[in-house]
Amino acid sequence: MATKVPRGMTMKETVDEGKKFLKGKSAATKSSAKSRSARAGLQFPVGRVHRYLREGRYCERIGAGAPVYMAAVLEYLAAEILELAGNASRDNKKTRIIPRHIQLAVRNDEELNKLLNNVTIASGGVLPNIHAVLLPKKTKTKMGEEQAE
């Protein structure tokens, strides 16, 4: 039985292509393994989130896009909190973020405070707040300046 050689290729080139096909991709055409996190452009681990979703038994089946979406949401929340906590640490003239800075960041942001309103941050303290009734009363003098008693 005669085999047809594709136009522009010799018999040897055709045989070499067949061998490459049987072996798998050659080193030149083979791309290195890429994680799902890298494909999605994320820092958070998509594979680990997928494993946690499966082991958590939240449902029988987990779609391929669910762990990617969830990892992206988690990464966004972490970045948002870290950015605000970094600003709080800079305001306090510190270079290291401590739980107090995270507490200040979360409680001063309306949306994060709503999301984490039932969360207690260990060693976070409370927001500085003095009720208006407890502040010293201000009186007016003859010149119209306000003075504390």
Side-chain angles (χ1 to χ4, degrees), residues 5 9-17:
V5 177
M9 292 182 74
T10 64
M11 184 63 119
K12 184 174 184 327
E13 290 172 345
T14 308
V15 170
D16 290 342
E17 288 293 319

Side-chain angles (χ1 to χ4, degrees), residues 54-67:
R54 276 187 275 114
E55 290 175 357
R57 309 298 294 165
Y58 301 107
C59 59
E60 289 180 19
R61 298 163 58 164
I62 305 291

Side-chain angles (χ1 to χ4, degrees), residues 56-125:
R57 309 298 294 165
Y58 301 107
C59 59
E60 289 180 19
R61 298 163 58 164
I62 305 291
V68 177
Y69 197 93
M70 190 168 185
V73 170
L74 290 172
E75 183 174 319
Y76 169 75
L77 285 173
E80 189 73 20
I81 291 172
L82 282 173
E83 182 184 353
L84 294 172
N87 294 343
S89 68
R90 197 177 331 109
D91 292 344
N92 291 326
K93 299 182 179 91
K94 306 283 186 200
T95 57
R96 195 172 290 169
I97 295 174
I98 58 174
R100 174 70 177 160
H101 301 143
I102 297 172
Q103 174 81 327
L104 291 172
V106 167
R107 300 303 167 211
N108 285 323
D109 187 78
E110 184 181 339
E111 292 174 341
L112 284 175
N113 189 29
K114 188 175 180 182
L115 179 68
L116 303 173
N117 64 345
N118 292 324
V119 173
T120 302
I121 297 174
S123 302

